[in-house]
Amino acid sequence: MLVTRLFGPLELVVDGRPLGARDLGGTKPRQLLCLLILERGHAVAKDRLADLLWGDAPPRNVAATLDTYASTLRRHLEPERTGRSRYVLGGGGGLRVPAEAVDCDLDRFDALVARAQEQARAGDADGARVAYEQALRLVRGQVLEDEPYASWALRGREQYADRARAARLAAAEHALECGDSDAAQAHAEAVLADDPATEAAHRVVMLACYRRGRQDEALRAYERCRHALADELGVDPLPETADLHAAILRHDEGVRRHGPRPAARGPVRRGPDPATELPLLGRIDELGALGEAAAHALAGAGGLVVVEGEAGIGKTRLVTELLDQLRPVRAGLGKCAEADRELPYVPLAGALRELGPTVGDAAAELPALGEILPELPPSGLPPATARLRALESVATVLGEAAPIVLALDDLQWADASTLAALGYLQRRCAGRPVLLLGTMRPEDVPHDSAVHALPATRRVVLGPLTADDLAPLGSIAARLAARSGGHPLWLTELLHSDTEDVAKPPARLAALLVARCRRAGPRAHRALAAAAVLGRPFDPELLAALVDDDPLRVAEDLEELCVRGLARP
């Protein structure tokens, strides 16, 4: 077994024999091994390996050089080998390290986080906290710290930095729920040391201080939160943070025992009360197209329908309306999350659970479902066979329960296993009354994501609402349309705002928009912040001068922002 530690500096233990980063025959062989381990058992073509290892300056004979490095690795990993290597395999024009031969700390981290999430869903806060803290003990530093300049290591480093931060915040919240205010504050402070603008971590610190009888520290924590958000993002705290601050000031006993109790605001409201959903405005054509595609699929043709549009444009709402129309057809809805992108089948498992007895009754006869639903025992089959049988089992469940709908929200965050399953189920359920339904934000889909290859039978693209769509809002429709640009999320927030001034965006909306801008990366975020003061339209060359950067690099940033829907030519 090849035991690897990628958190922090590289460490290896091969069949009980420890190896360091310098024990692999040189820098390039070591980098090659790390690349293959990061691919988790997938073969990597030699052309791609050459691009990652050498960029624009590859050696003259790439294939021979890579074969030499692979041979060097085999010699150092298995000095007494007489037959075929167990750890570095070739074939098909590429190289791979078999997943079953590697015990990687990244995989152990993912498994512990998945266990913690399952226990949290089951209401076991203490069990969830323990699992999160076990996962965090594996985080010895950034992924592959001894490869600081390798571009190929950057994606994994950023992904696991985000996942570790999310796990630490979850550990803080569960520690608080379990009554351990000291541990909760320690975890939250570690999150803030990494990202001072993590508002949820500030709330944990406020609560932890107050529950230990340190009201002054809790109030200072709020001020620190307010200044951090203003400095980093230029926004005020969210309403729930302000509510917690107010509850601490008035010594609300519920805060000491259970958390913040929202303060009574008595807002002046526009339109419907937020306790009831805003009626669906417009979308007659889109809902009709979606209903037509669904009817065709459920009549026996099957199919995969994808609803596309930017964040907040109303994709999930449209799917919800469709599912309401399709009742009593059974439906399971799963949600993809960015934090779960490295965990296989999480959204698919969520959708299957919503089908209830349909899946539960089949579990005894289809043990391979345990490869997707972690609450079931694993099948014990070899990995490749287990995955195939698991997908066949899902296809069997859907076919026998048809007509049926399986819906996955936010496919841009779907893991590779879920996307592969979606494509497989579409082919396997063709000719059956099974509707596969997905929503997606094209601007957030990674360039190398398998979501681009999904062969959807129908795509419904959502844009802003028109003035005619907003006519049912009455006299304020024109002002709201002008201010919101017909964007449903902005429109809803303005309608539910506690201000009379519809021209002033609510704090929650501002925070959502800034978070979306930050997701584009620090360079793009800086460009957006500068462009915001230049007026509309703005001159890219003037923007480049303002941020003191190369105009060509700024132009590349602007192209990416246009793809994400945050700027327009």
Side-chain angles (χ1 to χ4, degrees):
M1 179 64 71
L2 178 60
V3 180
T4 65
R5 294 182 179 178
L6 300 187
F7 280 118
L10 175 66
E11 290 184 11
L12 300 171
V13 178
V14 187
D15 300 327
R17 179 170 52 94
L19 293 177
R22 297 183 179 182
D23 300 328
L24 297 169
T27 300
K28 288 300 182 188
R30 182 190 71 232
Q31 291 180 337
L32 174 61
L33 180 63
C34 292
L35 264 168
L36 296 177
I37 291 173
L38 283 173
E39 289 295 327
R40 304 292 209 288
H42 297 291
V44 186
K46 291 181 179 179
D47 288 346
R48 180 166 175 247
L49 287 171
D51 184 55
L52 293 171
L53 288 172
W54 291 288
D56 296 332
R60 180 171 298 177
N61 191 333
V62 167
T65 303
L66 288 171
D67 286 340
T68 299
Y69 290 160
S71 179
T72 300
L73 286 172
R74 293 177 188 124
R75 188 169 63 252
H76 284 79
L77 293 174
E78 306 168 273
E80 299 178 2
R81 176 177 60 91
T82 57
R84 187 168 182 259
S85 172
R86 289 176 293 160
Y87 300 130
V88 182
L89 306 183
L95 296 168
R96 70 183 179 93
V97 171
E100 61 272 16
V102 178
D103 178 4
C104 180
D105 57 347
L106 302 186
D107 294 332
R108 294 198 299 274
F109 174 88
D110 289 339
L112 286 166
V113 168
R115 183 196 303 171
Q117 292 170 339
E118 286 294 325
Q119 290 171 322
R121 282 193 286 267
D124 183 2
D126 191 60
R129 174 195 173 185
V130 169
Y132 276 123
E133 290 181 342
Q134 288 174 340
L136 291 169
R137 281 196 285 273
L138 296 172
V139 183
R140 304 175 303 141
Q142 295 289 324
V143 169
L144 290 172
E145 280 185 357
D146 41 9
E147 297 290 352
Y149 307 113
S151 59
W152 50 266
L154 183 61
R155 180 182 175 191
R157 185 174 299 136
E158 291 178 343
Q159 284 179 340
Y160 278 92
D162 290 342
R163 289 188 57 74
R165 188 163 50 245
R168 197 169 293 283
L169 179 59
E173 292 170 340
H174 287 298
L176 199 64
E177 189 175 349
C178 294
D180 191 344
S181 297
D182 290 333
Q185 183 170 357
H187 285 307
E189 292 289 3
V191 173
L192 293 173
D194 188 40
D195 184 0
T198 307
E199 195 168 346
H202 284 290
R203 288 197 293 272
V204 171
V205 173
M206 292 167 64
L207 271 169
C209 290
Y210 186 68
R211 289 181 181 178
R212 293 201 304 271
R214 299 174 182 172
Q215 184 189 29
D216 56 333
E217 291 184 23
L219 297 176
R220 280 196 294 270
Y222 174 76
E223 289 304 313
R224 180 168 57 135
C225 171
R226 194 169 61 82
H227 287 298
L229 293 175
D231 293 343
E232 292 272 329
L233 306 177
V235 299
D236 294 325
L238 289 171
E240 48 261 49
T241 310
D243 288 345
L244 175 57
H245 177 243
I248 290 172
L249 283 172
R250 64 177 183 266
H251 296 288
D252 190 329
E253 185 62 23
V255 174
R256 185 181 296 277
R257 292 180 179 176
H258 308 294
R261 188 179 299 159
R265 290 173 173 263
V268 177
R269 304 219 174 265
R270 303 232 177 239
D273 187 274
T276 60
E277 278 200 344
L278 187 68
L280 185 68
L281 298 171
R283 304 296 190 217
I284 296 174
D285 293 339
E286 294 92 338
L287 187 57
L290 199 56
E292 178 185 332
H296 182 67
L298 294 173
L304 169 63
V305 180
V306 177
V307 182
E308 297 183 2
E310 63 180 286
I313 204 68
K315 304 180 294 298
T316 305
R317 176 64 188 278
L318 192 67
V319 168
T320 301
E321 291 286 335
L322 174 70
L323 296 180
D324 284 343
Q325 289 186 5
L326 293 177
R327 287 178 181 172
V329 173
R330 280 171 289 189
L333 177 61
K335 187 170 181 62
C336 309
E338 187 173 12
D340 296 334
R341 289 182 65 185
E342 298 303 318
L343 298 177
Y345 302 124
V346 171
L348 180 59
L352 291 174
R353 288 189 193 97
E354 285 212 346
L355 296 176
T358 301
V359 174
D361 295 344
E365 298 180 5
L366 300 170
L369 285 173
E371 301 299 322
I372 294 176
L373 294 165
E375 60 267 31
L376 300 178
S379 64
L381 297 168
T385 304
R387 285 194 294 270
L388 180 59
R389 295 227 181 142
L391 296 182
E392 274 295 305
S393 298
V394 175
T396 299
V397 169
L398 297 180
E400 292 179 353
I404 199 165
V405 181
L406 192 73
L408 298 179
D409 203 9
D410 283 333
L411 285 176
Q412 73 277 357
W413 306 134
D415 62 280
S417 296
T418 294
L419 291 175
L422 203 55
Y424 183 89
L425 291 173
Q426 182 192 9
R427 296 187 297 273
R428 190 67 179 79
C429 296
R432 301 183 186 182
V434 175
L435 171 62
L436 302 173
L437 192 59
T439 72
M440 181 177 73
R441 302 183 213 161
E443 73 272 13
D444 284 329
V445 177
H447 298 299
D448 59 348
S449 173
V451 76
H452 296 293
L454 284 178
T457 51
R458 185 71 176 266
R459 293 183 183 272
V460 178
V461 181
L462 301 187
L465 297 169
T466 66
D468 289 341
D469 293 331
L470 302 183
L473 296 176
S475 59
I476 61 170
R479 281 188 297 159
L480 286 171
R483 184 57 183 159
S484 69
H487 194 286
L489 176 61
W490 190 299
L491 176 70
T492 303
E493 288 294 330
L494 289 172
L495 281 167
H496 293 166
S497 171
D498 57 2
T499 175
E500 291 280 356
D501 182 7
V502 298
K504 179 181 179 181
R508 178 172 176 268
L509 179 59
L512 290 171
L513 293 174
V514 171
R516 183 178 168 194
C517 294
R518 290 189 75 202
R519 191 179 289 124
R523 285 179 47 80
H525 181 256
R526 182 182 64 160
L528 281 169
V533 301
L534 289 180
R536 290 183 291 179
F538 61 87
D539 183 346
E541 292 186 1
L542 178 59
L543 175 62
L546 184 61
V547 298
D548 192 23
D549 203 346
D550 178 56
L552 291 177
R553 294 184 67 186
V554 172
E556 291 176 354
D557 292 338
L558 292 174
E559 287 180 4
E560 177 65 22
L561 291 172
C562 288
V563 170
R564 290 176 172 271
L566 295 171
R568 291 194 182 97

